[in-house]
Amino acid sequence: MTDDERAAIKAAYPEFYEHVYQEADDNNIYRQSFNTLAQEECTSEKATAAVRREDRTKGSCASASYAYVGRRAGYDVLDFRGGYSQDLFSDDWVTSIYLAQCVDGEVIAAHNEVKAGEQLLSSMVKGKEYILSIGSHTSVVRLFNGKYQYLELQSKQEKCGWKDFIMGRDISCTLIRRFNCKLYNRYLYNCALLDTEKLSKFDGFKGMLEYINTSQSKKRAGKGGGIK
């Protein structure tokens, strides 16, 4: 992203710029540019294969989900950086407030995260993909063949891919077990659903991916034995 493009983002979305770009710059997170992908490399299957890893390190779910969206949009992005880059983009304030404001994302401030998750999922449109940031987990989600699904990117190779919300008797069980949603919190917590098509068309998101993208020589290992 050029300096002029960054300046345009700063002028149009000052809060997003301050809490993402400026925060990253202030913490010496380097920017790694990327090339575009051929159209045949942008399928869900190939994007999943490129960014999945056996890694439950705190925060890696969010940056992996953003990298998946980037690859689906045609950007040759990898997410194995770790460190403060990972911490920054796992922050629910970045996802549910500043980024969501830029792409008309749906945000619910709730004591009951399970109820909020059910409400957000119910607003999805068939054939589209979304990022759901709720509880302590972020994942790409969709409505497919009448079922809610989430994209597992942090397990063993054979267990990664699209999974139905069927951990237990209903979707609330998956929200509790995989997303670590609570039925009650003392304080309000932000829960967000972002349309990935709108996200991929937002120039600020493309610039944000430069802080996530990782060169082959700087991959880092995470918990579970996978690279990160």
Side-chain angles (χ1 to χ4, degrees):
M1 175 170 276
T2 67
D3 289 343
D4 286 345
E5 289 172 329
R6 287 170 59 87
I9 295 298
K10 183 177 182 179
Y13 306 97
E15 288 189 338
F16 170 79
Y17 185 94
E18 177 185 353
H19 292 277
V20 179
Y21 287 32
Q22 192 63 58
E23 181 78 9
D25 292 340
D26 289 347
N27 285 275
N28 299 312
I29 302 175
Y30 67 89
R31 293 160 56 194
Q32 178 71 44
S33 61
F34 46 83
N35 297 317
T36 56
L37 293 167
Q39 186 174 357
E40 60 269 21
E41 296 297 317
C42 302
T43 65
S44 177
E45 293 77 10
K46 291 195 174 183
T48 299
V51 302
R52 62 165 169 73
R53 75 275 196 171
E54 187 180 355
D55 180 10
R56 293 296 179 93
T57 306
K58 182 180 179 181
S60 61
C61 57
S63 51
S65 296
Y66 291 134
Y68 168 89
V69 174
R71 294 189 73 86
R72 290 280 277 148
Y75 307 136
D76 190 5
V77 179
L78 291 176
D79 162 48
F80 302 106
R81 191 181 294 200
Y84 192 77
S85 170
Q86 175 183 295
D87 294 339
L88 174 62
F89 296 112
S90 69
D91 190 336
D92 74 321
W93 282 93
V94 172
T95 301
S96 63
I97 298 298
Y98 302 113
L99 189 56
Q101 286 178 350
C102 301
V103 298
D104 297 322
E106 186 173 358
V107 178
I108 298 175
H111 293 289
N112 186 332
E113 294 170 314
V114 174
K115 184 177 180 180
E118 292 173 342
Q119 182 177 337
L120 290 171
L121 290 171
S122 69
S123 70
M124 293 194 300
V125 176
K126 180 181 178 181
K128 297 177 70 70
E129 293 180 352
Y130 302 82
I131 280 185
L132 176 65
S133 182
I134 193 169
S136 61
H137 187 50
T138 295
S139 179
V140 183
V141 294
R142 68 181 183 182
L143 176 62
F144 183 75
N145 287 339
K147 296 180 179 179
Y148 298 135
Q149 294 186 324
Y150 68 95
L151 184 60
E152 181 59 71
L153 294 172
Q154 295 177 279
S155 191
K156 295 181 179 180
Q157 178 177 349
E158 65 273 13
K159 293 185 178 180
C160 284
W162 290 103
K163 307 293 180 184
D164 293 340
F165 274 73
I166 54 172
M167 285 186 179
R169 66 184 183 277
D170 54 32
I171 63 172
S172 66
C173 293
T174 302
L175 288 168
I176 292 170
R177 296 180 187 180
R178 185 64 185 95
F179 290 78
N180 198 29
C181 291
K182 306 299 182 184
L183 288 168
Y184 179 76
N185 291 294
R186 181 179 179 183
Y187 302 103
L188 289 169
Y189 281 80
N190 290 309
C191 313
L193 187 74
L194 310 179
D195 183 326
T196 60
E197 184 178 358
K198 292 181 179 179
L199 192 61
S200 64
K201 292 179 179 178
F202 173 44
D203 287 341
F205 176 69
K206 184 178 180 180
M208 190 183 89
L209 290 176
E210 292 183 347
Y211 293 108
I212 293 174
N213 189 35
T214 316
S215 64
Q216 291 287 338
S217 63
K218 294 186 178 181
K219 290 180 178 179
R220 299 181 59 180
K223 296 176 183 178
I227 54 176
K228 186 178 77 58

